[in-house]
Amino acid sequence: MGNYDQFAAAVKEISGGKNVVLLDDMDMPSIYVPIYKMKNSDLVTGLSQNIHPAFSVAENGAQVERSVFYYSKYQNVIINGRAYSLAHRDPNVYINFDQAKIACDAKGPGFHLGTMAEWACIALWCRKNGTMPRGNNSYGCDHGHSYEKGQVSYQYTDSGKQYDGRTFTGSGPATWGHDWTQFGIQDMNGNVWEWVGGMRLKEGEIQVIPYNNAALGADCDQGPSSTLWKAIKNDGSLVEPGTAATLKYDWVSGKIQLTTGITVAADAGRYCEYKDMSLASGLTAPELAKVLLIYPDEPGGDYAGDGHWMNNAGERLPICGGSWSNAANAGVFDVNLHDPRSLSNRSVGFRSAYVEL
C-alpha cells in the first residue's frame, strides 16, 4: 500500500467514512465530505419528492441524477494554481470570482467551484437536523459562544487597535462543523466569505445555471455574457433572461422582496434577515426559490439571525457564510448578492467541490 493509499484509508477509517481523500490532475490530495442524494422533502418538510437540484448534472445533453457530491471540508488554499482543501491553513483570500473558478477547474474533470445549489442543500440539511454551525464570526470566536475559538491565522490593526481576523481552517470546535462534528464541513459560518457558482443577480433578475450544471467546471461558462444563465419564472420554470414575470429582488418597506417587478432599483447594498424577506402581493414562491435559498421556506422562522444582502443594479454574484466580523448575521443562510465578480479582499475566499462525471 502506497503513501496515498495509507493516507486515504486512514482519513476514511478515522472519520467513519464521513471524510474522503480525492486526488487531482497533479496527484495532490484534498479532503472532502460526501453529501449523498436527497429529496427536497428530506430537507424541508412539506416540499415535493423531487431530487434536490444539487444532485442533477448534465451529461451528453440530458440531466443525470448523481448519488453524491463531494464538498471541500475546509476553505481552500491555492498551490501551483490549484485549489486544495487542507486542515490548519490560512484560507486563500484576495481572490475574485473568476480566479476562484479557474483554480477549481484546473484540478481536472469533476472539480469545480462550489455551487449555490450545493451550498443551499447543505444549509437546509443543517437546519433540518438542528446543527446550524457556529464559527469565527466575532474576531476569532463565535459571537454567541465566546469560549468557542479557532487558532488565529491573521491579525490586523485598525485605528491603532489590533484585531484577530481569520482562523486556521478546521481549528475550531466540533460545533463549527456543519454536522457538529470534527468530520463535518468546517467554517461555513464566518471566517471568510465564500464565492459560490451557479447564481447571480442581473439588474435585479435572479438567474441560475440550471440544476447543478455549474458543477461541470471548465465546461460551464459562467461569464457575464454566457447564454447558459436562465431566469426563473413565477411558476418555477426556467426561461430566457428578460422573459415576463421572472423572479427579481426589490427593496420594499425596508426589506428585500421577492417579486416579478422592480420598483426601487439602486446601486446600493440592502440587507435584511432571511426570515424577514417579503413576497409581492399575489406571488407564490416556487419550490425552486426555497431550495436555492432565494426565499425562506418558513417566513418568520428561526434561521439563527442569518441575513441576505442584495444590489439590484448591474451583475452581482453570491458570496456566502459571512466573515470573522459579521456576528449573528453570519451563517449558512447568509447570502450576499451585493458585489460584482471582481470583488477581492482579505475576507473573501472560496472552496472547491467534486462530482463524478
Side-chain angles (χ1 to χ4, degrees), residues 267-282:
D267 184 2
R270 278 79 69 85
Y271 171 86
C272 76
E273 282 196 34
Y274 188 54
K275 69 178 180 66
D276 294 330
M277 292 177 69
S278 65
L279 197 60
S281 177

Side-chain angles (χ1 to χ4, degrees), residues 136-142 152 156 163-165 167 323-326:
N136 171 21
N137 50 45
S138 185
Y139 305 95
C141 66
D142 182 80
V152 176
Y156 62 102
Y163 293 90
D164 291 338
T167 52
S323 77
W324 68 78
S325 63
N326 287 114

Side-chain angles (χ1 to χ4, degrees), residues 156-163 346:
Y156 62 102
T157 301
D158 188 7
S159 301
K161 183 178 179 180
Q162 182 171 281
Y163 293 90
R346 65 186 178 183

